[in-house]
Amino acid sequence: MDSQIYGGASRILFLVLLISATSVSPALPENPISRSTLPSASSGSGSGQINSNSVLVALLDSHYTELAELVEKALLLQTLEDAVGRHNVTIFAPRNEALERDLDPEFKRFLLEPRNLKSLQTLILFHVIPTQIGSDSWPTSEAARHRTLAADHLHLSGSGAAKRVDIAAVVHPDAVVRPDGVIHGIERLLVPRSVQEDFNRRRSLASISAILPTGAPEVDPRTHRLKKPAPPAPAGSPPALPIYDAMAPGPSIAPAPAPGPGSGKHWFDGESQVKDFIHTLLLYGGYNELADILVNLTSLATEMGRLVSEGYVLTVLAPNDEAMAKLTADQLSEPGAPEQIVYYHLIPEYQTEESMYNAVRRFGKVRYDTLRLPHKVVAREADGSVKFGQGEGSAYLFDPDIYTDGRISVQGIDAVLFPPEEETPAAVAPTALRKTVQAAKPRRGKLLELGCQMVGAFGQRARFTSCQ
């Protein structure tokens, strides 16, 4: 009896396992490996991998590196892969110089801004036609109109060596030829009207954006520091504190004091730049005396490095060794005399030989501020060069642009400049006293003058003190 029960239970368990096995088997793939390797019919032919002989691969590996870089920044690789997978294409690639040097920097900055990604994509796709047009199939009789991937149209015209795409000349036809497309080199960038209008609109909005007026910074005359902290400024912008307040308090042999809190952001390495320009003076030759004064005789090299680090710019009028040898011992022996001489040769502006010559050619005479307040140095044109100073104490710009790095400019001159001598108070005092005495002389009336003339007729004028 028990054996029959156990035998019936085993048969039932076997039937349950058989039914479950038959129900699960259709859900399992017959050959999973073969199915995964087959391409999906719904994926389309454009989503497959690009052939290594594709025109898109050739573009990325060609010498049109600027255009290839823009394609990557525009995130258009997948879009172009799909286009090449569907049909042949013709790509008009501008020269690298057209995108690197000839392109307006403001327009290039506009294209590379993340918010203008759509404009950059439209610009790139404007250079691609979904048809392969080689030089042998170029329209010869009249201009042909072709639709681009940007939904705009390009006009192809010309023949022979005078092929043109809109306003750009084809300088290198059939630069790259592949089975799925061709690349033609053109002389300039093609800009669709929509991108140009977007750029003009953005530039107009930037030009009319409101700017709140701000007053000049207030400087504490005791500490020569700003009374209120300056607002945040972009990197490299001119400092809010005037350079005269940022200078050391006076000429001394001690190093210049460290800048106060909030006075400088140190966007630039002024110490290295000053070392470079002094080293350039030594290598250039003929300016060893000035370099010796800046480094050994005074602490002006340290102070100049600090000013440049804080964002100020300087133009150095450097007298050569022959001019420095004419200085007498009396001119250098007074305390602070070397500093005052050098201060008069430092202009708190960045000027080159070209900028100064253009200024004197246009205005005739230009007065430049110096770090020796309140004196200015006068520049004028003379003999096709720039002449500084007046009279016998003048100097010519002798060695132009010895050193120029955007922050420090060094211009060699052939004489040491001195400010014009002011009129002494002793020379003015006698003249003023003489005028005062003449003004205090009493004035006689007409009746008294007539009486004195009558008395003088009789020879008695000397007896009356009023008539003398």
PDB file of all heavy atoms in Angstrom, residues 248-257 297-300 303 335-336 339-340 343:
ATOM      1  N   ALA A 248      56.502 103.095  -3.607  1.00  0.00           N
ATOM      2  CA  ALA A 248      57.135 103.165  -2.295  1.00  0.00           C
ATOM      3  C   ALA A 248      57.033 104.590  -1.777  1.00  0.00           C
ATOM      4  O   ALA A 248      56.993 105.554  -2.556  1.00  0.00           O
ATOM      5  CB  ALA A 248      58.592 102.719  -2.390  1.00  0.00           C
ATOM      6  N   PRO A 249      56.989 104.784  -0.440  1.00  0.00           N
ATOM      7  CA  PRO A 249      56.790 106.138   0.096  1.00  0.00           C
ATOM      8  C   PRO A 249      57.884 107.120  -0.254  1.00  0.00           C
ATOM      9  O   PRO A 249      57.667 108.319  -0.242  1.00  0.00           O
ATOM     10  CB  PRO A 249      56.715 105.898   1.604  1.00  0.00           C
ATOM     11  CG  PRO A 249      57.365 104.570   1.825  1.00  0.00           C
ATOM     12  CD  PRO A 249      57.076 103.768   0.602  1.00  0.00           C
ATOM     13  N   GLY A 250      59.062 106.675  -0.607  1.00  0.00           N
ATOM     14  CA  GLY A 250      60.127 107.611  -0.953  1.00  0.00           C
ATOM     15  C   GLY A 250      61.362 106.865  -1.369  1.00  0.00           C
ATOM     16  O   GLY A 250      61.507 105.675  -1.106  1.00  0.00           O
ATOM     17  N   PRO A 251      62.306 107.538  -2.031  1.00  0.00           N
ATOM     18  CA  PRO A 251      63.541 106.863  -2.450  1.00  0.00           C
ATOM     19  C   PRO A 251      64.377 106.472  -1.242  1.00  0.00           C
ATOM     20  O   PRO A 251      64.610 107.265  -0.340  1.00  0.00           O
ATOM     21  CB  PRO A 251      64.242 107.925  -3.309  1.00  0.00           C
ATOM     22  CG  PRO A 251      63.668 109.219  -2.840  1.00  0.00           C
ATOM     23  CD  PRO A 251      62.262 108.946  -2.416  1.00  0.00           C
ATOM     24  N   SER A 252      64.774 105.242  -1.198  1.00  0.00           N
ATOM     25  CA  SER A 252      65.603 104.756  -0.106  1.00  0.00           C
ATOM     26  C   SER A 252      66.368 103.536  -0.592  1.00  0.00           C
ATOM     27  O   SER A 252      66.081 102.974  -1.637  1.00  0.00           O
ATOM     28  CB  SER A 252      64.742 104.391   1.113  1.00  0.00           C
ATOM     29  OG  SER A 252      63.859 103.345   0.785  1.00  0.00           O
ATOM     30  N   ILE A 253      67.321 103.130   0.195  1.00  0.00           N
ATOM     31  CA  ILE A 253      68.102 101.957  -0.166  1.00  0.00           C
ATOM     32  C   ILE A 253      67.387 100.683   0.286  1.00  0.00           C
ATOM     33  O   ILE A 253      67.626  99.613  -0.234  1.00  0.00           O
ATOM     34  CB  ILE A 253      69.509 102.052   0.461  1.00  0.00           C
ATOM     35  CG1 ILE A 253      70.198 103.324  -0.029  1.00  0.00           C
ATOM     36  CG2 ILE A 253      70.353 100.847   0.140  1.00  0.00           C
ATOM     37  CD1 ILE A 253      71.578 103.517   0.533  1.00  0.00           C
ATOM     38  N   ALA A 254      66.455 100.805   1.234  1.00  0.00           N
ATOM     39  CA  ALA A 254      65.723  99.632   1.718  1.00  0.00           C
ATOM     40  C   ALA A 254      64.772  99.132   0.647  1.00  0.00           C
ATOM     41  O   ALA A 254      64.335  99.890  -0.212  1.00  0.00           O
ATOM     42  CB  ALA A 254      64.951 100.008   2.978  1.00  0.00           C
ATOM     43  N   PRO A 255      64.433  97.842   0.697  1.00  0.00           N
ATOM     44  CA  PRO A 255      63.479  97.315  -0.285  1.00  0.00           C
ATOM     45  C   PRO A 255      62.128  97.998  -0.159  1.00  0.00           C
ATOM     46  O   PRO A 255      61.761  98.494   0.905  1.00  0.00           O
ATOM     47  CB  PRO A 255      63.406  95.822   0.062  1.00  0.00           C
ATOM     48  CG  PRO A 255      64.628  95.545   0.875  1.00  0.00           C
ATOM     49  CD  PRO A 255      64.957  96.808   1.588  1.00  0.00           C
ATOM     50  N   ALA A 256      61.389  98.003  -1.253  1.00  0.00           N
ATOM     51  CA  ALA A 256      60.061  98.610  -1.247  1.00  0.00           C
ATOM     52  C   ALA A 256      59.145  97.815  -0.322  1.00  0.00           C
ATOM     53  O   ALA A 256      59.265  96.602  -0.196  1.00  0.00           O
ATOM     54  CB  ALA A 256      59.489  98.632  -2.662  1.00  0.00           C
ATOM     55  N   PRO A 257      58.226  98.504   0.373  1.00  0.00           N
ATOM     56  CA  PRO A 257      57.345  97.797   1.310  1.00  0.00           C
ATOM     57  C   PRO A 257      56.387  96.873   0.579  1.00  0.00           C
ATOM     58  O   PRO A 257      56.074  97.073  -0.592  1.00  0.00           O
ATOM     59  CB  PRO A 257      56.605  98.931   2.007  1.00  0.00           C
ATOM     60  CG  PRO A 257      56.631 100.057   1.031  1.00  0.00           C
ATOM     61  CD  PRO A 257      57.942  99.941   0.316  1.00  0.00           C
ATOM     62  N   LEU A 297      72.501 100.107  -7.043  1.00  0.00           N
ATOM     63  CA  LEU A 297      72.557 101.414  -6.392  1.00  0.00           C
ATOM     64  C   LEU A 297      71.242 101.770  -5.711  1.00  0.00           C
ATOM     65  O   LEU A 297      71.229 102.510  -4.726  1.00  0.00           O
ATOM     66  CB  LEU A 297      72.942 102.488  -7.418  1.00  0.00           C
ATOM     67  CG  LEU A 297      73.316 103.864  -6.868  1.00  0.00           C
ATOM     68  CD1 LEU A 297      74.499 103.735  -5.915  1.00  0.00           C
ATOM     69  CD2 LEU A 297      73.665 104.821  -7.995  1.00  0.00           C
ATOM     70  N   THR A 298      70.138 101.300  -6.217  1.00  0.00           N
ATOM     71  CA  THR A 298      68.820 101.585  -5.653  1.00  0.00           C
ATOM     72  C   THR A 298      68.008 100.285  -5.558  1.00  0.00           C
ATOM     73  O   THR A 298      68.475  99.215  -5.961  1.00  0.00           O
ATOM     74  CB  THR A 298      68.051 102.605  -6.526  1.00  0.00           C
ATOM     75  OG1 THR A 298      67.750 101.997  -7.792  1.00  0.00           O
ATOM     76  CG2 THR A 298      68.871 103.855  -6.757  1.00  0.00           C
ATOM     77  N   SER A 299      66.807 100.415  -5.024  1.00  0.00           N
ATOM     78  CA  SER A 299      65.884  99.277  -4.955  1.00  0.00           C
ATOM     79  C   SER A 299      64.769  99.411  -5.979  1.00  0.00           C
ATOM     80  O   SER A 299      63.679  98.863  -5.793  1.00  0.00           O
ATOM     81  CB  SER A 299      65.282  99.170  -3.552  1.00  0.00           C
ATOM     82  OG  SER A 299      64.530 100.346  -3.252  1.00  0.00           O
ATOM     83  N   LEU A 300      65.016 100.133  -7.059  1.00  0.00           N
ATOM     84  CA  LEU A 300      63.970 100.398  -8.039  1.00  0.00           C
ATOM     85  C   LEU A 300      63.564  99.137  -8.790  1.00  0.00           C
ATOM     86  O   LEU A 300      62.408  99.015  -9.215  1.00  0.00           O
ATOM     87  CB  LEU A 300      64.443 101.466  -9.033  1.00  0.00           C
ATOM     88  CG  LEU A 300      64.580 102.880  -8.454  1.00  0.00           C
ATOM     89  CD1 LEU A 300      65.117 103.841  -9.497  1.00  0.00           C
ATOM     90  CD2 LEU A 300      63.240 103.368  -7.939  1.00  0.00           C
ATOM     91  N   GLU A 303      60.933  97.563  -6.677  1.00  0.00           N
ATOM     92  CA  GLU A 303      59.683  98.324  -6.715  1.00  0.00           C
ATOM     93  C   GLU A 303      58.979  98.171  -8.055  1.00  0.00           C
ATOM     94  O   GLU A 303      57.745  98.031  -8.117  1.00  0.00           O
ATOM     95  CB  GLU A 303      59.963  99.805  -6.447  1.00  0.00           C
ATOM     96  CG  GLU A 303      58.705 100.647  -6.381  1.00  0.00           C
ATOM     97  CD  GLU A 303      58.993 102.086  -5.992  1.00  0.00           C
ATOM     98  OE1 GLU A 303      60.172 102.401  -5.722  1.00  0.00           O
ATOM     99  OE2 GLU A 303      58.050 102.878  -5.972  1.00  0.00           O
ATOM    100  N   PRO A 335      71.177 112.856  -1.731  1.00  0.00           N
ATOM    101  CA  PRO A 335      70.317 111.712  -1.341  1.00  0.00           C
ATOM    102  C   PRO A 335      69.073 111.625  -2.224  1.00  0.00           C
ATOM    103  O   PRO A 335      68.369 112.608  -2.435  1.00  0.00           O
ATOM    104  CB  PRO A 335      69.943 112.046   0.114  1.00  0.00           C
ATOM    105  CG  PRO A 335      70.995 112.985   0.581  1.00  0.00           C
ATOM    106  CD  PRO A 335      71.418 113.780  -0.615  1.00  0.00           C
ATOM    107  N   GLY A 336      68.838 110.449  -2.754  1.00  0.00           N
ATOM    108  CA  GLY A 336      67.676 110.231  -3.594  1.00  0.00           C
ATOM    109  C   GLY A 336      67.822 110.706  -5.020  1.00  0.00           C
ATOM    110  O   GLY A 336      66.870 110.598  -5.798  1.00  0.00           O
ATOM    111  N   GLU A 339      67.327 107.885  -7.738  1.00  0.00           N
ATOM    112  CA  GLU A 339      65.917 107.511  -7.875  1.00  0.00           C
ATOM    113  C   GLU A 339      65.131 108.567  -8.643  1.00  0.00           C
ATOM    114  O   GLU A 339      64.311 108.229  -9.514  1.00  0.00           O
ATOM    115  CB  GLU A 339      65.292 107.302  -6.492  1.00  0.00           C
ATOM    116  CG  GLU A 339      65.740 106.035  -5.786  1.00  0.00           C
ATOM    117  CD  GLU A 339      66.989 106.260  -4.951  1.00  0.00           C
ATOM    118  OE1 GLU A 339      67.642 107.307  -5.148  1.00  0.00           O
ATOM    119  OE2 GLU A 339      67.320 105.403  -4.113  1.00  0.00           O
ATOM    120  N   GLN A 340      65.378 109.844  -8.329  1.00  0.00           N
ATOM    121  CA  GLN A 340      64.638 110.902  -9.017  1.00  0.00           C
ATOM    122  C   GLN A 340      64.979 110.958 -10.505  1.00  0.00           C
ATOM    123  O   GLN A 340      64.108 111.238 -11.337  1.00  0.00           O
ATOM    124  CB  GLN A 340      64.951 112.262  -8.362  1.00  0.00           C
ATOM    125  CG  GLN A 340      64.445 112.396  -6.937  1.00  0.00           C
ATOM    126  CD  GLN A 340      62.945 112.227  -6.839  1.00  0.00           C
ATOM    127  OE1 GLN A 340      62.204 112.646  -7.720  1.00  0.00           O
ATOM    128  NE2 GLN A 340      62.488 111.591  -5.775  1.00  0.00           N
ATOM    129  N   TYR A 343      63.093 107.963 -11.971  1.00  0.00           N
ATOM    130  CA  TYR A 343      61.655 108.203 -11.949  1.00  0.00           C
ATOM    131  C   TYR A 343      61.212 109.071 -13.126  1.00  0.00           C
ATOM    132  O   TYR A 343      60.121 108.893 -13.671  1.00  0.00           O
ATOM    133  CB  TYR A 343      61.245 108.877 -10.642  1.00  0.00           C
ATOM    134  CG  TYR A 343      61.083 107.932  -9.484  1.00  0.00           C
ATOM    135  CD1 TYR A 343      61.312 108.350  -8.174  1.00  0.00           C
ATOM    136  CD2 TYR A 343      60.713 106.607  -9.691  1.00  0.00           C
ATOM    137  CE1 TYR A 343      61.171 107.490  -7.108  1.00  0.00           C
ATOM    138  CE2 TYR A 343      60.571 105.730  -8.626  1.00  0.00           C
ATOM    139  CZ  TYR A 343      60.808 106.176  -7.334  1.00  0.00           C
ATOM    140  OH  TYR A 343      60.662 105.310  -6.287  1.00  0.00           O
TER     141      TYR A 343
END
